[in-house]
Amino acid sequence: MALENLISIEFTSEELTALDGHLDGIQQVLAGKTVNLTPDQRQQYGSIGNQNKLIVDKAKNYMEQHPNWIPNFLDKTEFDKDYTARQQMEQRTQRLQNLTQQLLDTKTLLDHDNYTNSLSFYRMMRYLAGENEPGSKTVYEDMKVLFSKSARTASTDEQTSA
């Protein structure tokens, strides 16, 4: 019985070159404009949730309506610059997250197909080694070491014998 192939795609070298070129272009545009926070810094600064976005939007709106109420120590020009850049980045981040999720989901199906087929090949090597097919025992023994006797792979070994 043939295995179910969940997905079948391929990229031309031209498509990969174009994709890499676009990613390089994104990196070049963002160079010097983005930062890499440490895990501790990410925890320290957190992320702004929807409720806090509403607070920021409301504060901006009131600052626009009542500029004389803005504290002297608050740099409104910098606030506006940060506000605009944040909106611009959020729009692009959402698009990139969507594309990233599509790539990850597609890779998940490709990984599943590859792993399932590899298990089938391993089962065939085990069978052929048992039948003394020349050369198959070496392949089987080489692959066998990849299956440790942990609980997780024990269930995989049990599946392979089914």
Side-chain angles (χ1 to χ4, degrees), residues 6-59:
L6 298 178
I7 192 165
S8 180
I9 63 166
E10 59 185 308
F11 294 97
T12 65
S13 59
E14 292 82 12
E15 289 171 328
L16 292 174
T17 299
L19 185 59
D20 290 341
H22 292 298
L23 291 172
D24 289 344
I26 290 170
Q27 273 186 307
Q28 288 171 6
V29 169
L30 294 178
K33 294 184 169 114
T34 59
V35 297
N36 285 318
L37 298 177
T38 66
D40 288 340
Q41 289 172 319
R42 285 186 194 103
Q43 188 171 10
Q44 175 186 350
Y45 298 118
S47 63
I48 188 168
N50 287 334
Q51 181 65 32
N52 291 342
K53 287 178 191 175
L54 294 173
I55 292 169
V56 171
D57 291 342
K58 183 91 44 189

Side-chain angles (χ1 to χ4, degrees), residues 45-158:
Y45 298 118
S47 63
I48 188 168
N50 287 334
Q51 181 65 32
N52 291 342
K53 287 178 191 175
L54 294 173
I55 292 169
V56 171
D57 291 342
K58 183 91 44 189
K60 177 164 177 44
N61 186 34
Y62 282 127
M63 282 189 242
E64 300 293 327
Q65 292 177 30
H66 307 284
N68 55 324
W69 293 353
I70 300 171
N72 291 335
F73 56 85
L74 193 151
D75 184 343
K76 175 69 165 68
T77 303
E78 185 60 30
F79 175 88
D80 289 340
K81 184 176 154 186
D82 290 349
Y83 185 89
T84 299
R86 192 194 82 49
Q87 285 184 313
Q88 293 165 339
M89 292 190 93
E90 184 172 38
Q91 292 169 1
R92 275 84 189 164
T93 299
Q94 288 171 348
R95 289 179 68 188
L96 289 170
Q97 285 174 330
N98 186 331
L99 290 170
T100 298
Q101 192 60 57
Q102 289 177 43
L103 288 170
L104 289 170
D105 291 348
T106 302
K107 183 183 165 298
T108 296
L109 295 181
L110 293 167
D111 286 344
H112 177 81
D113 283 350
N114 284 156
Y115 184 70
T116 302
N117 285 301
S118 296
L119 288 177
S120 293
F121 178 78
Y122 173 73
R123 287 191 299 266
M124 179 57 88
M125 290 301 97
R126 185 175 57 200
Y127 170 78
L128 291 175
E131 295 295 313
N132 294 317
E133 177 70 25
S136 63
K137 186 168 179 91
T138 303
V139 173
Y140 169 67
E141 293 296 328
D142 186 49
M143 290 186 74
K144 182 179 175 181
V145 298
L146 300 174
F147 295 93
S148 70
K149 294 302 175 189
S150 70
R152 180 174 173 259
T153 55
S155 68
T156 303
D157 278 342
E158 290 170 11

